[in-house]
Amino acid sequence: MKRFALLGVIAFAAVGIVACGDDGNGAAPVGGENSSSSVAESSAAMSSSVVANSSSSVTLYSSAEISSSTSVDTLRITYALKPFDGPLANPHKGFTVPTEGTWVFVPEFEYGPYGSLNNRAWDLVTYGSGYQKWNKLNPAKGVYDWTELDKLLDALAEHNMGYALRVLPYSPSFVKGNDTPEEDYDWTPKFVYESGAKKITATVQWNGYRATVPVWDDPVYLQAAKDFGTALAKKYDGDPRIEYIDIRSFGEWGEWHASHLNGSEMPSEAVQIEMLDHYASVFKKTLLVLPSSGMGNVYTHALCLGITKRDDGFISILGRPDSLVRAYEANLPTIAENQAGYATMLNNNDIIPGGYLKWTPQRWVDAITTAHLTYYVLDQDSDEGYKFYKENKALADSMSKVIGYNFRVVSAELVNVTGAAGIAAVNAANASVASTAATSTLNITVKNTGVAPCFFDVYLVAEFVDSTGTALAQLGKTLRIPKGTFKDGMSQKFSFSGNLPADGTASSDASAQTTIRIALSLYESEDAFKNGKNPTVRFDNDGLLQNAKLLLKE
């Protein structure tokens, strides 16, 4: 077998594409034929192995080389591949910390991304989360004030983050005495009561203080809550700054329970389902979320509407991650918070029943993998994950490539067919090929090594680039992978083919040619690629360039 050392790659413009892959449900990537089956693999074993070995590996391929085993006219280049070394934050998945306002981004806030403590937990944060008060957004009937919320959304967008929105009607956390002003904790707009909605007096369990509470199934209250949902959808449905919206119409913190308010009762299942139906009727694009205590028939109905589920009792309460498996099986992203902040959970008594479980690294990993989480709070303490990340950096970095989707190129080969003159040019010019008629085919295998599918459309692009990642020509066509079809544990094979145009893209003078390389990119929209923007989704591979493209290495 005759072999030639390769120092560069070949420059061609692209005209064709063939893609293959199966998501397990018969769906193929848009833009090509399904010529081979995808390989689906279980991710269940992750829960017992990630803590001990946080950096999983792929087989390393030999240095790129050209083989003439088939014909002197066929060149085969196999690329060396290995995982990205370090944390990897990608959009529409991952970790959050509390972001209640734009003040998070000012240097004076020591725990912020620009604060004096240099809090590197922000390297893992992909979206902000927090609550808004209903009465602040809806101060009068038919009147809405989105000013401060829009400022926060814009600030997050400037930092490449979305926002998980919760609008709360009530928070017993702020009942500090029997004479606490109602507006401090009851965030139902005053006009709702002025319009005839009833309220009662309840007792807060943990301190015994009395507080007024809305009657959750009062018709006036319900209509006002629906009207607000309609206005919220009119303003924010499909807004790219919004990651998802919780439906927080009932109960303490809008969590669909009144378990700490003696004397207050949740509305019937029929009323809860009616509220879900209303939100589903006005929101057509943005992901909606059923809060933690929505259970039973209400949970089932939510899934039928495409409304996903969150749980806020992770780590400390036994079995809570299992509650989200139904949403995962319905092909919806799962969302979680912990029962308490990291520092509090470290001091739990580990007594079940009658107490709470402690936070441990293994329980954290198990929670993410069991629930197949797409979204998760890094920590909900006011230090924005500072203590958590400082004490668990290696583990947290590794799990940034486990939570949600995680795309890794596990094999890549370029097959170039040329005439004998092309072979001579390879030896003469460090693998730069003269303008001889030729066809290049790039065959790659991509695996989703995360614990969840990718829940948005992804556009896969192959290009000839220079050493900085600047595009010189596209190889093949852009390929759309529809949302929800690239499942966790699945591998898909893609082929990009192209011919050198008649006028050529490389000089026939070998000494004047520039070494050309191939890069792969993942975009959230085809327009982003066409408009020359950088990709926003990154592969979990060594070779990522500053512009987020993956340069295939020899």
Side-chain angles (χ1 to χ4, degrees):
M1 180 181 294
K2 187 177 181 181
R3 297 183 180 273
F4 303 85
L6 177 67
L7 300 177
V9 200
I10 306 114
F12 297 121
V15 296
I17 184 170
V18 178
C20 50
D22 185 358
D23 70 349
N25 295 315
V30 175
E33 297 178 356
N34 182 11
S35 61
S36 68
S37 299
S38 299
V39 181
E41 301 173 9
S42 171
S43 59
M46 289 184 185
S47 63
S48 61
S49 63
V50 176
V51 172
N53 183 8
S54 63
S55 59
S56 45
S57 62
V58 297
T59 303
L60 298 183
Y61 292 81
S62 60
S63 298
E65 56 185 18
I66 301 175
S67 171
S68 61
S69 59
T70 303
S71 166
V72 294
D73 297 325
T74 301
L75 314 178
R76 295 183 181 274
I77 305 165
T78 301
Y79 296 96
L81 297 162
K82 60 181 180 179
F84 180 74
D85 183 17
L88 192 67
N90 264 319
H92 311 307
K93 56 157 277 184
F95 298 108
T96 187
V97 292
T99 42
E100 306 293 352
T102 56
W103 50 265
V104 169
F105 298 106
V106 301
E108 291 78 12
F109 180 52
E110 60 182 347
Y111 295 112
Y114 305 113
S116 59
L117 291 175
N118 190 30
N119 183 6
R120 297 328 317 151
W122 287 94
D123 293 342
L124 270 61
V125 174
T126 57
Y127 68 106
S129 60
Y131 68 82
Q132 304 292 317
K133 299 176 181 179
W134 180 11
N135 58 0
K136 297 299 183 183
L137 298 178
N138 186 190
K141 186 176 178 63
V143 177
Y144 304 97
D145 184 358
W146 314 111
T147 306
E148 293 304 313
L149 177 55
D150 275 334
K151 288 180 180 178
L152 175 58
L153 296 179
D154 287 342
L156 287 163
E158 289 173 3
H159 292 82
N160 298 314
M161 299 181 197
Y163 186 63
L165 176 61
R166 293 171 283 182
V167 180
L168 309 189
Y170 196 91
S171 176
S173 302
F174 295 95
V175 179
K176 304 299 184 182
N178 290 326
D179 57 352
T180 303
E182 290 182 20
E183 59 269 22
D184 286 1
Y185 58 86
D186 184 0
W187 300 333
T188 304
K190 285 185 177 181
F191 78 83
V192 178
Y193 297 123
E194 293 170 353
S195 299
K198 297 180 179 63
K199 53 185 173 180
I200 62 169
T201 299
T203 302
V204 180
Q205 281 187 1
W206 61 74
N207 57 27
Y209 294 135
R210 296 186 302 275
T212 58
V213 185
V215 175
W216 302 112
D217 59 359
D218 182 273
V220 176
Y221 176 89
L222 292 174
Q223 188 58 53
K226 291 177 183 177
D227 290 345
F228 177 74
T230 300
L232 193 65
K234 183 178 180 180
K235 173 66 176 177
Y236 291 115
D237 188 28
D239 191 319
R241 299 173 300 173
I242 298 287
E243 201 67 41
Y244 56 81
I245 295 177
D246 282 19
I247 304 173
R248 296 272 179 152
S249 305
F250 308 117
E252 307 166 24
W253 306 289
E255 291 180 345
W256 293 46
H257 71 88
S259 56
H260 302 104
L261 293 171
N262 295 337
S264 179
E265 296 182 358
M266 276 289 291
S268 66
E269 282 189 348
V271 171
Q272 296 176 47
I273 287 172
E274 185 180 337
M275 187 62 70
L276 293 179
D277 287 340
H278 177 75
Y279 265 78
S281 72
V282 295
F283 279 92
K284 303 299 183 183
K285 300 175 182 178
T286 298
L287 177 67
L288 297 174
V289 182
L290 176 65
S292 190
S293 294
M295 299 294 184
N297 294 331
V298 176
Y299 187 0
T300 300
H301 190 75
L303 297 182
C304 292
L305 296 172
I307 298 172
T308 194
K309 183 70 163 59
R310 69 177 296 136
D311 191 283
D312 297 339
F314 268 40
I315 305 297
S316 299
I317 302 176
L318 192 66
R320 296 303 282 267
D322 296 297
S323 72
L324 295 183
V325 173
R326 291 179 61 198
Y328 164 76
E329 292 176 344
N331 205 28
L332 292 168
T334 54
I335 302 164
E337 286 189 2
N338 296 322
Q339 179 270 335
Y342 170 69
T344 299
M345 293 188 295
L346 289 176
N347 294 315
N348 285 344
N349 57 20
D350 241 5
I351 298 174
I352 301 294
Y356 293 109
L357 297 173
K358 292 179 182 291
W359 188 95
T360 68
Q362 190 62 60
R363 284 173 179 162
W364 193 64
V365 171
D366 289 346
I368 292 172
T369 56
T370 299
H372 296 270
L373 287 181
T374 291
Y375 299 102
Y376 193 22
V377 66
L378 192 66
D379 187 29
Q380 55 230 55
D381 280 335
S382 59
D383 70 352
E384 308 294 335
Y386 178 74
K387 175 179 173 64
F388 174 86
Y389 190 67
K390 186 176 181 181
E391 296 180 0
N392 300 280
K393 180 183 184 304
L395 176 61
D397 287 352
S398 70
M399 294 304 289
S400 71
K401 299 190 286 186
V402 174
I403 189 170
Y405 67 88
N406 189 68
F407 294 135
R408 182 178 299 165
V409 182
V410 295
S411 68
E413 180 185 62
L414 182 68
V415 179
N416 185 61
V417 179
T418 64
I423 296 291
V426 171
N427 282 335
N430 292 335
S432 293
V433 177
S435 55
T436 306
T439 298
S440 288
T441 299
L442 177 68
N443 299 310
I444 66 171
T445 300
V446 180
K447 182 175 181 180
N448 180 0
T449 64
V451 295
C454 179
F455 291 107
F456 60 98
D457 288 351
V458 178
Y459 295 81
L460 178 59
V461 174
E463 297 173 289
F464 289 105
V465 299
D466 62 20
S467 60
T468 68
T470 301
L472 300 170
Q474 185 176 0
L475 176 60
K477 297 180 181 178
T478 303
L479 175 64
R480 180 173 71 91
I481 304 171
K483 65 180 182 180
T485 63
F486 206 147
K487 309 289 188 179
D488 45 299
M490 174 184 289
S491 294
Q492 294 200 56
K493 296 180 179 180
F494 306 100
S495 295
F496 301 84
S497 296
N499 296 319
L500 184 68
D503 59 354
T505 58
S507 169
S508 58
D509 178 3
S511 63
Q513 296 177 36
T514 302
T515 299
I516 308 300
R517 299 168 172 84
I518 292 180
L520 298 172
S521 303
L522 292 167
Y523 290 85
E524 294 181 57
S525 73
E526 189 170 16
D527 285 344
F529 168 64
K530 290 179 177 178
N531 293 331
K533 295 183 179 179
N534 290 333
T536 51
V537 183
R538 296 186 295 169
F539 284 103
D540 177 18
N541 286 94
D542 180 49
L544 289 175
L545 300 173
Q546 194 70 28
N547 61 8
K549 295 180 180 181
L550 173 62
L551 180 66
L552 296 180
K553 293 186 174 183
E554 303 169 14

